[in-house]
Amino acid sequence: MEASEAGRGTGGSGTAGQVWLRTPARAGRAAPPLTRERIVEEAVALLDAEGADRLTMRRLAERLGTGSTTLYWHVKTKDDVLDLALDAIFAEVEIPPEGGQGWRAGITALINGWRAVLLRHPWSAALLSRPMLGPNVLARSEFLYATLLEAGVTGPGLTAAAYGLSNYVIGSGLMQATWPTGAEREVRRAAREYLHANRERYPVLAAHGPLVADDDWETGFALGLTWILDGIEAGIARADERGPMSAGR
Amino acid sequence: MEASEAGRGTGGSGTAGQVWLRTPARAGRAAPPLTRERIVEEAVALLDAEGADRLTMRRLAERLGTGSTTLYWHVKTKDDVLDLALDAIFAEVEIPPEGGQGWRAGITALINGWRAVLLRHPWSAALLSRPMLGPNVLARSEFLYATLLEAGVTGPGLTAAAYGLSNYVIGSGLMQATWPTGAEREVRRAAREYLHANRERYPVLAAHGPLVADDDWETGFALGLTWILDGIEAGIARADERGPMSAGR
DNA sequence: CGGTTACCGGATCAACGATCCAGTACTCGA
DNA sequence: TCGAGTACTGGATCGTTGATCCGGTAACCG
């Protein structure tokens, strides 16, 4: 609030010849000047705190101590804010060092970090349905492709491997972030009761239901990941025995 | 338009004693009476035709020849419409017959059908971030769990297998449905050009880029699916050799 | 000092989801 | 046959949203 007050100045400038009464120089402002980075940063904070549907340009502007209109100088649409916020959180995914302990370790680390980010910012799950072309996403995709390529994955298997891994993380993150936790835990309980009540129609689900504990997510995800990695590895082995050093046909 | 006209009746009912001038019996209406099913059906059609963000209660009501208010008698919120529409399209996924050609064939058929639906209704990708508890979704999950269970997948592997498969389909569908096709193909081309322009930062992506042709999606998806199925099968084999017929510890 | 650029925000617009409330048609029991 | 109850409809309206118009102000450059 004081930021907004300080930025507004003393208004009519009629009797305001006194420097002391006027707005201090821009550098002296309480809040740093508005930049695209600051907007995105605050948008992520707001999304983390209140979720995707509570993000409006007005509320975001209020948190930044400016008017909502101002945001549109730095950003074209609200969708831009969402795209930027989505890419911004991918910066948290650490890219493993180049010469690591083998390609499986590197890829596993990347995928796990990716997944951790998706779960740390659950709102991102709902945003994954837009093309991700930001620099942070691309950098991590680049690492993924490079690591696979160096491991010996080539041709159509490369795309399949990269997409398989990506799709698996995204699906998992989406599924788990979707699932009500915390305060909405009653929804979860209600779902379990519903399944139990209709256990004649869904006998297996009611018995071995998908409403797993939090730990099961971890182990299940890790298990599925090893399956995919095993499949990729088997593909490399087959390619190698067909022709270990011979390129092409 | 005529449906709306016919449904409105002759108004004041003062001079309208004549049966011929009055509204024909409800059964004689041009449009069938409004039901939840009809609303959902039309919502799916609207979503298919114009996408998720073009679906509003007003437009939906207009297509149904009623006022927007009326919809709220059959449905509590707009989110209800989306949830119902999402479950409705899952009815298109054919559930393979019980005694099929082995569990792999059955699961493959289900997963492929699932994927086809996601691609046929691209708007559904953006909606997957809400809990899916509708009857159609549950019935297909039931089949998945039952088939896996019958194949010999037990314990934590069951949840892992079911979620692994689901997450993989969802991620794939999301990714592919997201990717601009058809009219937005220029976006795709622009992305490729962008990658090429920044090929120093993303050398591998620019060369073996993820901007695949349509066919590659299919083969890549099938390849990844076999990997997961292989992993599940290997798990079954390991469990069998530990104790082919011994239950429990 | 005049003008150009970068940045800010009050007022405003059209569209949205949702609700209020006044209706209208049909049903069922007496 | 009537009259009360119920199922359903929709015009008007409310608060909120994303976005734009347009008039400002501060810094900088020649």
Side-chain angles (χ1 to χ4, degrees), chain A residues 58, chain B residues 53-59 78:
Chain A
R58 281 173 234 264
Chain B
D53 48 343
R54 300 292 304 268
L55 173 76
T56 72
M57 296 301 267
R58 282 174 232 262
R59 293 166 68 87
K78 183 190 178 183

Tab-separated table of all heavy atoms in Angstrom, chain A residues 58, chain B residues 53-59 78, chain C residues 13-17, chain D residues 13-19:
chain	number	residue	atom	x	y	z
A	58	ARG	N	-6.090	-8.052	-11.898
A	58	ARG	CA	-6.290	-7.048	-10.858
A	58	ARG	C	-5.597	-7.430	-9.566
A	58	ARG	O	-4.911	-6.632	-8.932
A	58	ARG	CB	-7.790	-6.860	-10.604
A	58	ARG	CG	-8.476	-5.994	-11.645
A	58	ARG	CD	-9.986	-5.981	-11.438
A	58	ARG	NE	-10.679	-6.362	-12.655
A	58	ARG	CZ	-11.173	-5.497	-13.527
A	58	ARG	NH1	-11.072	-4.225	-13.297
A	58	ARG	NH2	-11.765	-5.914	-14.612
B	53	ASP	N	-12.319	-22.852	-24.622
B	53	ASP	CA	-12.534	-21.490	-24.136
B	53	ASP	C	-13.726	-20.817	-24.803
B	53	ASP	O	-14.139	-19.744	-24.373
B	53	ASP	CB	-11.267	-20.656	-24.331
B	53	ASP	CG	-10.719	-20.823	-25.736
B	53	ASP	OD1	-11.127	-21.789	-26.406
B	53	ASP	OD2	-9.899	-19.989	-26.162
B	54	ARG	N	-14.266	-21.446	-25.813
B	54	ARG	CA	-15.455	-20.860	-26.445
B	54	ARG	C	-16.738	-21.405	-25.842
B	54	ARG	O	-17.831	-21.025	-26.272
B	54	ARG	CB	-15.455	-21.145	-27.956
B	54	ARG	CG	-14.249	-20.592	-28.690
B	54	ARG	CD	-14.262	-19.066	-28.717
B	54	ARG	NE	-15.489	-18.540	-29.309
B	54	ARG	CZ	-15.639	-18.256	-30.588
B	54	ARG	NH1	-14.633	-18.449	-31.402
B	54	ARG	NH2	-16.760	-17.750	-31.046
B	55	LEU	N	-16.629	-22.279	-24.905
B	55	LEU	CA	-17.831	-22.812	-24.262
B	55	LEU	C	-18.268	-21.894	-23.132
B	55	LEU	O	-17.579	-21.770	-22.122
B	55	LEU	CB	-17.571	-24.213	-23.701
B	55	LEU	CG	-18.726	-24.782	-22.868
B	55	LEU	CD1	-19.853	-25.237	-23.766
B	55	LEU	CD2	-18.272	-25.912	-21.980
B	56	THR	N	-19.395	-21.244	-23.326
B	56	THR	CA	-19.984	-20.463	-22.247
B	56	THR	C	-21.425	-20.917	-22.079
B	56	THR	O	-22.021	-21.509	-22.985
B	56	THR	CB	-19.963	-18.953	-22.552
B	56	THR	OG1	-20.923	-18.678	-23.582
B	56	THR	CG2	-18.593	-18.511	-22.988
B	57	MET	N	-21.943	-20.641	-20.922
B	57	MET	CA	-23.304	-21.077	-20.658
B	57	MET	C	-24.288	-20.414	-21.620
B	57	MET	O	-25.265	-21.024	-22.044
B	57	MET	CB	-23.675	-20.754	-19.215
B	57	MET	CG	-22.839	-21.512	-18.207
B	57	MET	SD	-22.965	-23.293	-18.379
B	57	MET	CE	-24.286	-23.663	-17.246
B	58	ARG	N	-24.028	-19.179	-21.957
B	58	ARG	CA	-24.920	-18.486	-22.883
B	58	ARG	C	-24.909	-19.126	-24.262
B	58	ARG	O	-25.962	-19.391	-24.863
B	58	ARG	CB	-24.499	-17.016	-22.986
B	58	ARG	CG	-24.948	-16.174	-21.802
B	58	ARG	CD	-24.367	-14.773	-21.896
B	58	ARG	NE	-23.684	-14.402	-20.662
B	58	ARG	CZ	-24.224	-13.673	-19.717
B	58	ARG	NH1	-25.444	-13.231	-19.836
B	58	ARG	NH2	-23.557	-13.386	-18.619
B	59	ARG	N	-23.711	-19.381	-24.749
B	59	ARG	CA	-23.629	-19.970	-26.089
B	59	ARG	C	-24.222	-21.367	-26.101
B	59	ARG	O	-24.901	-21.768	-27.055
B	59	ARG	CB	-22.172	-20.018	-26.533
B	59	ARG	CG	-21.564	-18.648	-26.754
B	59	ARG	CD	-20.054	-18.741	-26.846
B	59	ARG	NE	-19.631	-19.426	-28.048
B	59	ARG	CZ	-19.440	-18.839	-29.199
B	59	ARG	NH1	-19.648	-17.543	-29.308
B	59	ARG	NH2	-19.051	-19.511	-30.252
B	78	LYS	N	-21.053	-24.428	-14.126
B	78	LYS	CA	-20.432	-24.724	-15.411
B	78	LYS	C	-19.431	-25.869	-15.274
B	78	LYS	O	-19.275	-26.686	-16.194
B	78	LYS	CB	-19.732	-23.473	-15.943
B	78	LYS	CG	-19.131	-23.663	-17.304
B	78	LYS	CD	-18.259	-22.495	-17.690
B	78	LYS	CE	-17.633	-22.749	-19.051
B	78	LYS	NZ	-16.724	-21.653	-19.433
C	13	DC	P	-18.537	2.818	-21.332
C	13	DC	OP1	-19.239	3.726	-22.238
C	13	DC	OP2	-19.164	2.430	-20.042
C	13	DC	O5'	-18.190	1.486	-22.122
C	13	DC	C5'	-17.203	1.528	-23.153
C	13	DC	C4'	-16.882	0.111	-23.609
C	13	DC	O4'	-15.907	-0.466	-22.707
C	13	DC	C3'	-18.087	-0.823	-23.616
C	13	DC	O3'	-18.318	-1.337	-24.921
C	13	DC	C2'	-17.747	-1.927	-22.615
C	13	DC	C1'	-16.251	-1.804	-22.426
C	13	DC	N1	-15.848	-2.089	-21.018
C	13	DC	C2	-14.918	-3.109	-20.775
C	13	DC	O2	-14.444	-3.739	-21.719
C	13	DC	N3	-14.572	-3.369	-19.491
C	13	DC	C4	-15.120	-2.659	-18.501
C	13	DC	N4	-14.741	-2.947	-17.256
C	13	DC	C5	-16.063	-1.623	-18.739
C	13	DC	C6	-16.407	-1.368	-20.010
C	14	DA	P	-19.786	-1.928	-25.249
C	14	DA	OP1	-20.178	-1.426	-26.578
C	14	DA	OP2	-20.681	-1.738	-24.082
C	14	DA	O5'	-19.472	-3.487	-25.368
C	14	DA	C5'	-18.348	-3.915	-26.113
C	14	DA	C4'	-17.961	-5.328	-25.703
C	14	DA	O4'	-17.411	-5.312	-24.352
C	14	DA	C3'	-19.126	-6.321	-25.678
C	14	DA	O3'	-18.677	-7.549	-26.216
C	14	DA	C2'	-19.454	-6.431	-24.188
C	14	DA	C1'	-18.079	-6.265	-23.555
C	14	DA	N9	-18.115	-5.766	-22.178
C	14	DA	C8	-18.912	-4.765	-21.684
C	14	DA	N7	-18.728	-4.526	-20.410
C	14	DA	C5	-17.748	-5.431	-20.040
C	14	DA	C6	-17.108	-5.680	-18.808
C	14	DA	N6	-17.385	-5.022	-17.688
C	14	DA	N1	-16.184	-6.659	-18.784
C	14	DA	C2	-15.912	-7.326	-19.913
C	14	DA	N3	-16.452	-7.174	-21.122
C	14	DA	C4	-17.367	-6.205	-21.124
C	15	DA	P	-19.774	-8.704	-26.562
C	15	DA	OP1	-19.444	-9.240	-27.895
C	15	DA	OP2	-21.121	-8.185	-26.240
C	15	DA	O5'	-19.430	-9.816	-25.483
C	15	DA	C5'	-18.100	-10.302	-25.393
C	15	DA	C4'	-17.941	-11.054	-24.101
C	15	DA	O4'	-17.963	-10.118	-22.996
C	15	DA	C3'	-19.045	-12.078	-23.817
C	15	DA	O3'	-18.481	-13.381	-23.780
C	15	DA	C2'	-19.614	-11.664	-22.451
C	15	DA	C1'	-18.540	-10.752	-21.882
C	15	DA	N9	-19.077	-9.710	-21.009
C	15	DA	C8	-20.012	-8.770	-21.323
C	15	DA	N7	-20.311	-7.967	-20.316
C	15	DA	C5	-19.513	-8.425	-19.283
C	15	DA	C6	-19.360	-8.000	-17.948
C	15	DA	N6	-20.038	-6.983	-17.418
C	15	DA	N1	-18.469	-8.669	-17.168
C	15	DA	C2	-17.799	-9.687	-17.715
C	15	DA	N3	-17.870	-10.175	-18.953
C	15	DA	C4	-18.739	-9.495	-19.692
C	16	DC	P	-19.365	-14.656	-23.643
C	16	DC	OP1	-18.699	-15.707	-24.414
C	16	DC	OP2	-20.783	-14.297	-23.903
C	16	DC	O5'	-19.212	-15.000	-22.095
C	16	DC	C5'	-17.900	-15.272	-21.589
C	16	DC	C4'	-17.932	-15.235	-20.097
C	16	DC	O4'	-18.311	-13.911	-19.664
C	16	DC	C3'	-18.987	-16.139	-19.473
C	16	DC	O3'	-18.411	-17.395	-19.192
C	16	DC	C2'	-19.376	-15.414	-18.184
C	16	DC	C1'	-18.792	-14.024	-18.343
C	16	DC	N1	-19.785	-12.930	-18.143
C	16	DC	C2	-19.902	-12.316	-16.898
C	16	DC	O2	-19.176	-12.700	-15.971
C	16	DC	N3	-20.810	-11.321	-16.715
C	16	DC	C4	-21.577	-10.947	-17.754
C	16	DC	N4	-22.456	-9.968	-17.550
C	16	DC	C5	-21.473	-11.563	-19.038
C	16	DC	C6	-20.579	-12.541	-19.181
C	17	DG	P	-19.411	-18.577	-18.872
C	17	DG	OP1	-18.660	-19.825	-19.126
C	17	DG	OP2	-20.709	-18.335	-19.537
C	17	DG	O5'	-19.623	-18.422	-17.304
C	17	DG	C5'	-18.531	-18.654	-16.437
C	17	DG	C4'	-18.971	-18.465	-15.008
C	17	DG	O4'	-19.515	-17.123	-14.851
C	17	DG	C3'	-20.072	-19.416	-14.542
C	17	DG	O3'	-19.796	-19.844	-13.223
C	17	DG	C2'	-21.339	-18.577	-14.645
C	17	DG	C1'	-20.832	-17.179	-14.347
C	17	DG	N9	-21.603	-16.144	-15.024
C	17	DG	C8	-21.941	-16.105	-16.343
C	17	DG	N7	-22.631	-15.045	-16.673
C	17	DG	C5	-22.762	-14.349	-15.501
C	17	DG	C6	-23.422	-13.114	-15.228
C	17	DG	O6	-24.038	-12.385	-16.019
C	17	DG	N1	-23.313	-12.745	-13.885
C	17	DG	C2	-22.646	-13.473	-12.934
C	17	DG	N2	-22.644	-12.972	-11.698
C	17	DG	N3	-22.028	-14.632	-13.177
C	17	DG	C4	-22.133	-15.002	-14.473
D	13	DT	P	-33.197	-4.554	-14.935
D	13	DT	OP1	-33.886	-3.530	-14.113
D	13	DT	OP2	-32.564	-4.199	-16.227
D	13	DT	O5'	-32.091	-5.264	-14.018
D	13	DT	C5'	-32.500	-6.104	-12.945
D	13	DT	C4'	-31.302	-6.757	-12.306
D	13	DT	O4'	-30.930	-7.962	-13.032
D	13	DT	C3'	-30.030	-5.888	-12.262
D	13	DT	O3'	-29.621	-5.746	-10.931
D	13	DT	C2'	-29.019	-6.681	-13.091
D	13	DT	C1'	-29.529	-8.097	-12.930
D	13	DT	N1	-29.059	-9.035	-13.998
D	13	DT	C2	-28.509	-10.233	-13.620
D	13	DT	O2	-28.380	-10.581	-12.467
D	13	DT	N3	-28.088	-11.021	-14.660
D	13	DT	C4	-28.178	-10.726	-16.019
D	13	DT	O4	-27.763	-11.510	-16.868
D	13	DT	C5	-28.763	-9.460	-16.334
D	13	DT	C7	-28.906	-9.038	-17.764
D	13	DT	C6	-29.170	-8.672	-15.318
D	14	DC	P	-28.515	-4.603	-10.548
D	14	DC	OP1	-29.172	-3.617	-9.677
D	14	DC	OP2	-27.854	-4.152	-11.794
D	14	DC	O5'	-27.461	-5.413	-9.681
D	14	DC	C5'	-27.890	-6.497	-8.869
D	14	DC	C4'	-26.700	-7.378	-8.523
D	14	DC	O4'	-26.558	-8.393	-9.548
D	14	DC	C3'	-25.387	-6.614	-8.464
D	14	DC	O3'	-24.714	-6.886	-7.261
D	14	DC	C2'	-24.603	-7.104	-9.684
D	14	DC	C1'	-25.211	-8.469	-9.953
D	14	DC	N1	-25.155	-8.821	-11.395
D	14	DC	C2	-24.588	-10.043	-11.793
D	14	DC	O2	-24.140	-10.800	-10.938
D	14	DC	N3	-24.550	-10.337	-13.113
D	14	DC	C4	-25.043	-9.485	-14.011
D	14	DC	N4	-24.990	-9.819	-15.290
D	14	DC	C5	-25.616	-8.236	-13.625
D	14	DC	C6	-25.658	-7.946	-12.317
D	15	DG	P	-23.591	-5.829	-6.736
D	15	DG	OP1	-23.770	-5.630	-5.292
D	15	DG	OP2	-23.551	-4.679	-7.651
D	15	DG	O5'	-22.258	-6.681	-6.960
D	15	DG	C5'	-22.164	-7.991	-6.396
D	15	DG	C4'	-21.041	-8.771	-7.052
D	15	DG	O4'	-21.403	-9.059	-8.428
D	15	DG	C3'	-19.702	-8.018	-7.126
D	15	DG	O3'	-18.669	-8.885	-6.704
D	15	DG	C2'	-19.580	-7.599	-8.593
D	15	DG	C1'	-20.332	-8.732	-9.278
D	15	DG	N9	-20.887	-8.357	-10.585
D	15	DG	C8	-21.570	-7.213	-10.902
D	15	DG	N7	-21.956	-7.156	-12.160
D	15	DG	C5	-21.484	-8.343	-12.702
D	15	DG	C6	-21.588	-8.852	-14.020
D	15	DG	O6	-22.125	-8.338	-14.999
D	15	DG	N1	-20.966	-10.093	-14.130
D	15	DG	C2	-20.337	-10.757	-13.109
D	15	DG	N2	-19.799	-11.936	-13.404
D	15	DG	N3	-20.230	-10.295	-11.873
D	15	DG	C4	-20.832	-9.090	-11.743
D	16	DT	P	-17.156	-8.310	-6.588
D	16	DT	OP1	-16.561	-8.900	-5.385
D	16	DT	OP2	-17.181	-6.835	-6.776
D	16	DT	O5'	-16.454	-8.954	-7.860
D	16	DT	C5'	-16.634	-10.341	-8.115
D	16	DT	C4'	-16.033	-10.712	-9.433
D	16	DT	O4'	-16.908	-10.296	-10.516
D	16	DT	C3'	-14.668	-10.066	-9.733
D	16	DT	O3'	-13.705	-11.092	-9.921
D	16	DT	C2'	-14.904	-9.254	-11.014
D	16	DT	C1'	-16.126	-9.923	-11.618
D	16	DT	N1	-16.932	-9.039	-12.500
D	16	DT	C2	-17.159	-9.392	-13.818
D	16	DT	O2	-16.735	-10.421	-14.305
D	16	DT	N3	-17.900	-8.515	-14.539
D	16	DT	C4	-18.443	-7.309	-14.089
D	16	DT	O4	-19.090	-6.600	-14.837
D	16	DT	C5	-18.160	-7.004	-12.707
D	16	DT	C7	-18.679	-5.731	-12.126
D	16	DT	C6	-17.433	-7.872	-11.981
D	17	DT	P	-12.163	-10.768	-10.029
D	17	DT	OP1	-11.433	-11.803	-9.293
D	17	DT	OP2	-11.959	-9.334	-9.723
D	17	DT	O5'	-11.893	-10.986	-11.586
D	17	DT	C5'	-12.213	-12.230	-12.194
D	17	DT	C4'	-12.298	-12.081	-13.692
D	17	DT	O4'	-13.391	-11.189	-14.006
D	17	DT	C3'	-11.083	-11.399	-14.309
D	17	DT	O3'	-10.171	-12.384	-14.751
D	17	DT	C2'	-11.664	-10.641	-15.511
D	17	DT	C1'	-13.159	-10.675	-15.300
D	17	DT	N1	-13.787	-9.316	-15.377
D	17	DT	C2	-14.308	-8.894	-16.562
D	17	DT	O2	-14.279	-9.558	-17.576
D	17	DT	N3	-14.869	-7.622	-16.529
D	17	DT	C4	-14.948	-6.795	-15.436
D	17	DT	O4	-15.473	-5.685	-15.512
D	17	DT	C5	-14.373	-7.302	-14.222
D	17	DT	C7	-14.399	-6.482	-12.977
D	17	DT	C6	-13.831	-8.521	-14.254
D	18	DG	P	-8.701	-11.881	-15.129
D	18	DG	OP1	-7.827	-13.062	-15.046
D	18	DG	OP2	-8.397	-10.655	-14.364
D	18	DG	O5'	-8.867	-11.467	-16.663
D	18	DG	C5'	-9.124	-12.476	-17.629
D	18	DG	C4'	-9.229	-11.853	-19.006
D	18	DG	O4'	-10.248	-10.831	-18.990
D	18	DG	C3'	-7.958	-11.168	-19.494
D	18	DG	O3'	-7.757	-11.464	-20.871
D	18	DG	C2'	-8.221	-9.689	-19.238
D	18	DG	C1'	-9.722	-9.593	-19.415
D	18	DG	N9	-10.327	-8.561	-18.578
D	18	DG	C8	-10.150	-8.387	-17.228
D	18	DG	N7	-10.821	-7.376	-16.737
D	18	DG	C5	-11.485	-6.851	-17.836
D	18	DG	C6	-12.368	-5.741	-17.918
D	18	DG	O6	-12.739	-4.982	-17.019
D	18	DG	N1	-12.827	-5.542	-19.222
D	18	DG	C2	-12.476	-6.324	-20.295
D	18	DG	N2	-13.015	-5.989	-21.473
D	18	DG	N3	-11.655	-7.369	-20.220
D	18	DG	C4	-11.196	-7.569	-18.971
D	19	DA	P	-6.458	-10.841	-21.586
D	19	DA	OP1	-6.180	-11.677	-22.778
D	19	DA	OP2	-5.422	-10.642	-20.575
D	19	DA	O5'	-6.956	-9.426	-22.108
D	19	DA	C5'	-7.974	-9.388	-23.090
D	19	DA	C4'	-8.379	-7.949	-23.344
D	19	DA	O4'	-8.940	-7.387	-22.151
D	19	DA	C3'	-7.237	-7.013	-23.764
D	19	DA	O3'	-7.435	-6.628	-25.113
D	19	DA	C2'	-7.327	-5.835	-22.791
D	19	DA	C1'	-8.701	-5.998	-22.181
D	19	DA	N9	-8.796	-5.506	-20.814
D	19	DA	C8	-8.136	-5.968	-19.710
D	19	DA	N7	-8.424	-5.324	-18.600
D	19	DA	C5	-9.328	-4.364	-19.006
D	19	DA	C6	-10.008	-3.364	-18.302
D	19	DA	N6	-9.878	-3.154	-16.989
D	19	DA	N1	-10.842	-2.570	-19.010
D	19	DA	C2	-10.980	-2.770	-20.318
D	19	DA	N3	-10.394	-3.682	-21.091
D	19	DA	C4	-9.573	-4.458	-20.366
